[in-house]
Amino acid sequence: VQLSELARKQAGSAEVREFAERMIADHSKANAELMAIAKQKGMTLPKELSTEHRAPLQSLQSKNDLLYTSPNP
């Protein structure tokens, strides 16, 4: 979700922004459902990204140029 938020912010095209918004909506919904299931089962899920997953996000956040121009390679 955080990578999609970054993509939406730094997108070079409306198509990429729209795709990022869909990803945010879909994955936020899935995360909420997962949290509800975990709560029912008495489990606690992490609220933050692990260091392993945070590093690439931080690397991309430090870039000021438009990184995302097309949702397809």
Side-chain angles (χ1 to χ4, degrees), residues 40-55:
Q40 288 175 351
K41 299 202 176 271
M43 299 171 66
T44 303
L45 298 178
K47 296 182 189 258
E48 297 181 358
L49 291 174
S50 67
T51 303
E52 174 187 1
H53 293 102
R54 190 176 24 247

Side-chain angles (χ1 to χ4, degrees), residues 3 5-6 9 13 26-27 31 33 39-40 51 53 56 59 62 64 66-67 69:
L3 284 171
E5 289 170 347
L6 181 62
K9 179 181 173 186
S13 73
D26 292 350
H27 288 217
N31 285 343
E33 292 171 1
K39 185 177 180 178
Q40 288 175 351
T51 303
H53 293 102
S59 175
S62 69
N64 293 325
L66 299 176
L67 299 173
T69 57

Side-chain angles (χ1 to χ4, degrees), residues 7 13-17 19-20 22-23 67-73:
S13 73
E15 183 181 35
V16 173
R17 277 190 296 280
F19 180 76
R22 281 195 312 272
M23 294 293 290
L67 299 173
Y68 307 94
T69 57
S70 172
N72 299 317

